[in-house]
Amino acid sequence: MSSRARTFAVAVALTTAASAIYGVVAADGSLNGAVNGLLAGFPISVSILAFETLVMDHPRGFALRRRPFAVTLLVRFVVWGAAIIASLVGMRLLLPWPGASDPFWFLSDVAFGFTLLFVALTLSSIDRLLGPGTLLRILTGKYHHPREEERIFLFLDMQGSTRAAERLGNVAFLALLGECIAIATQPLLASQGEIYRYIGDEICACWPVRNGSSPSSAFDGAITTLDALDAAAQTLETRYGFAPKFRGGLHIGTVAVGEIGDARREIAFLGDGINVAKRLEEIARERNTRLVVSGNLMARLSGDTRQRQVRPIGDKTIAGKARPIKVFEVARPDAGIFLKDTFFEQARG
């Protein structure tokens, strides 16, 4: 089951359970109240979460997500509210029970539903502003005390951004950069990556490496993201007069993760993983190549990635590293460079 599907299933289960508990309390402990709560809560939660998954978190919702935050918040409130009202009305029409026509209980159910809506909408909106999952980690204190984790980091940088900003002007360039970030976000999240930070015209993303998980999803996510940006370049050139091209650095390593800040709190990463990824992005810039990947990561990729266009470019000295590391580059699709098994042997060596 995918990460998105698991999240969907857990959210449906929790909201349906909350409705069942409310039904028991409202019916003075009666089992019928729990049944009624389940019958009302399940279609509400499924409808709302389907909208969030299939519209708000999907490429088809791109235009809506690009609207001002207040507009997207209003749309979500209307959709969620309509799902609550429709479910409660439908349940009373299709499955009448004693007291179902009592306006007091109907208004009570609506009030409970909109209370949950307010809480859930507030929390999910904050989570969208902070980045998916960040609010939960801060609330639970997962990184209140720094800890070490193994993560894969990707730095993406726009080629020729300084010249583009001078030619387009700051306002137009910022609009262009905003569109590029929006285009890159979906494939990054779809590969179970996280947006860590935007630094000027750079995008920094990361993937946690869990027990038994394969780093191939991060590699594929990086390639898919670059493909999406390349595919949008012509459209963006028509709109802005500049076709953006991105290059990146990808590395796996250990970092310290912890909360920092007081007036503004965030989760920060510090260590080898992020530092080397940044340097690899600089090597990609120096070589004018699409993506530079460390040998550490190449050695841990699955066999499926052997279809990628990759070649070794030797050992590179990285600031802060005692010894040079093996480095590989991923060419653009028309470069005619194909990955060979010997490259993996070099990476593992």
Side-chain angles (χ1 to χ4, degrees), residues 146-275:
R147 53 194 288 186
E148 282 196 336
E149 289 185 355
E150 188 177 37
R151 289 194 174 231
I152 300 169
F153 282 89
L154 169 69
F155 271 88
L156 290 176
D157 175 65
M158 185 188 295
Q159 181 176 334
S161 59
T162 302
R163 293 191 304 273
E166 291 177 353
R167 194 176 75 192
L168 300 178
N170 292 333
V171 173
F173 179 74
L174 185 58
L176 168 65
L177 181 60
E179 290 208 37
C180 291
I181 289 173
I183 292 165
T185 296
Q186 289 309 304
L188 288 173
L189 296 183
S191 63
Q192 301 183 27
E194 303 170 5
I195 305 295
Y196 171 46
R197 186 172 288 171
Y198 305 122
I199 309 169
D201 63 335
E202 291 183 335
I203 303 170
C204 181
C206 64
W207 290 260
V209 180
R210 303 179 179 90
N211 292 335
S213 64
S214 171
S216 295
S217 60
F219 183 89
D220 291 337
I223 298 296
T224 304
T225 301
L226 287 166
D227 288 344
L229 289 166
D230 286 346
Q234 187 173 355
T235 300
L236 294 174
E237 182 178 24
T238 301
R239 189 173 304 161
Y240 294 98
F242 176 75
K245 285 187 177 181
F246 281 78
R247 59 211 162 193
L250 191 65
H251 175 64
I252 185 170
T254 301
V255 292
V257 191
E259 293 181 23
I260 61 171
D262 184 9
R264 180 183 181 276
R265 183 168 296 186
E266 67 176 63
I267 295 174
F269 300 96
L270 182 67
D272 172 84
I274 192 167
N275 294 337

Side-chain angles (χ1 to χ4, degrees), residues 67-210:
R67 305 297 298 171
F69 184 75
V71 174
T72 61
L73 187 64
L74 177 61
V75 170
R76 295 173 74 203
F77 179 84
V78 170
V79 172
W80 289 27
I84 292 172
I85 298 295
S87 179
L88 293 176
V89 171
M91 186 179 69
R92 281 165 167 76
L93 293 176
L94 299 175
L95 299 169
W97 66 89
S101 59
D102 188 337
F104 171 78
W105 288 113
F106 177 76
L107 293 176
S108 176
D109 293 346
V110 170
F112 173 75
F114 272 81
T115 299
L116 283 184
L117 181 154
F118 176 78
V119 173
L121 196 56
T122 298
L123 293 177
S124 65
S125 297
I126 295 174
D127 192 53
R128 282 182 177 273
L129 290 173
L130 296 177
T134 301
L135 176 62
L136 179 61
R137 295 176 191 128
I138 291 176
L139 289 176
T140 58
K142 182 177 181 179
Y143 298 118
H144 186 69
H145 299 288
R147 53 194 288 186
E148 282 196 336
E149 289 185 355
E150 188 177 37
R151 289 194 174 231
I152 300 169
F153 282 89
L154 169 69
F155 271 88
L156 290 176
D157 175 65
M158 185 188 295
Q159 181 176 334
S161 59
T162 302
R163 293 191 304 273
E166 291 177 353
R167 194 176 75 192
L168 300 178
N170 292 333
V171 173
F173 179 74
L174 185 58
L176 168 65
L177 181 60
E179 290 208 37
C180 291
I181 289 173
I183 292 165
T185 296
Q186 289 309 304
L188 288 173
L189 296 183
S191 63
Q192 301 183 27
E194 303 170 5
I195 305 295
Y196 171 46
R197 186 172 288 171
Y198 305 122
I199 309 169
D201 63 335
E202 291 183 335
I203 303 170
C204 181
C206 64
W207 290 260
V209 180
R210 303 179 179 90

Side-chain angles (χ1 to χ4, degrees), residues 42-53:
F42 183 74
I44 291 173
S45 59
V46 168
S47 300
I48 290 175
L49 292 167
F51 170 75
E52 291 293 308
T53 302

